[in-house]
Amino acid sequence: LATLAVYYSFGIAAYRWLEGWGALEVVYFLTVMSTTVGYGDLVPKTTQGRLFTAFYALAGITTVISAINASVRSVLRQVGTLRAHAHRLGIWRGIWRGQATPRALRLETPIRQVNAEHANYPLDYLTKVALGPMVAILAGVVIGVHILGEGAVTSFYWSVATMTTIGYGDVAVRPGVPQAVAVVFLPLAVAALSHAISQLSHVAT
């Protein structure tokens, strides 16, 4: 958080001087840039601004993505902990077979019997991998409909284009509240998909 604060604070001061942008515009621009979404709706126009951006983009990609990835991993760990508690309390039993069994049961029961009766590890792991992107897409659709004022299909299209960092830029993110919401949504959506892709190789294991 301290690193992010320094990155955004210095960026606000620099772009206010170089391009004359407001604080929210700078934060939005730095977020779009550092997540590599690159909508192209707000770009530096001065020679000095473009030269500064060329160097600051390199720092931004490593700084912001690293910080957000850590946050997403933390949130997913908390979700996993809640699911584990729910399973121990018997909430999931008989409803969802994708949960790994409690440690006590594994110690008392032969592992083949445990796997046959209680666990579906690939399905469980695929669920965990897909959870982040699914939540991100749903959040993007809600934002697109209620904040950007787009239809459901266009909002879904914008959400996926943003999360995959394709960032066509044909759906307008207006100044003000839409930009403020995008500042929060962009890095979380990109990090959610990035984390899911990195975890896919563990499904077979």
Side-chain angles (χ1 to χ4, degrees), residues 3-199:
T3 304
L4 285 176
V6 171
Y7 171 75
Y8 278 102
S9 298
F10 186 78
I12 288 172
Y15 283 105
R16 283 176 68 89
W17 178 56
L18 294 170
E19 299 291 334
W21 293 344
L24 179 57
E25 287 180 307
V26 176
V27 171
Y28 170 74
F29 170 76
L30 291 177
T31 303
V32 172
M33 178 181 72
S34 60
T35 55
T36 72
V37 174
Y39 289 134
D41 53 347
L42 184 64
V43 295
K45 292 183 170 55
T46 66
T47 302
Q48 296 86 345
R50 289 176 175 175
L51 183 62
F52 176 77
T53 300
F55 290 99
Y56 211 55
L58 299 175
I61 291 173
T62 55
T63 300
V64 175
I65 293 299
S66 297
I68 297 301
N69 277 337
S71 300
V72 169
R73 286 194 297 268
S74 177
V75 170
L76 291 177
R77 279 197 300 269
Q78 294 300 322
V79 172
T81 301
L82 290 175
R83 292 173 64 192
H85 286 316
H87 185 266
R88 289 193 200 97
L89 294 173
I91 297 175
W92 291 98
R93 292 176 190 170
I95 299 176
W96 183 256
R97 290 175 53 82
Q99 306 297 311
T101 55
R103 184 172 182 271
L105 180 59
R106 294 203 301 270
L107 292 174
E108 297 169 3
T109 311
I111 189 63
R112 290 183 182 277
Q113 182 180 344
V114 170
N115 288 341
E117 297 178 0
H118 299 279
N120 187 335
Y121 296 107
L123 181 59
D124 179 43
Y125 214 88
L126 279 171
T127 303
K128 293 177 181 178
V129 167
L131 179 63
M134 287 191 299
V135 171
I137 290 174
L138 179 60
V141 171
V142 172
I143 292 170
V145 172
H146 295 285
I147 304 297
L148 304 184
E150 302 289 348
V153 174
T154 300
S155 299
F156 173 73
Y157 159 81
W158 173 79
S159 180
V160 174
T162 298
M163 186 173 64
T164 55
T165 73
I166 293 172
Y168 292 120
D170 52 343
V171 178
V173 180
R174 299 181 303 278
V177 174
Q179 285 187 348
V181 173
V183 165
V184 178
F185 172 69
L186 264 67
L188 292 177
V190 170
L193 182 61
S194 174
H195 177 75
I197 292 173
S198 69
Q199 294 299 308

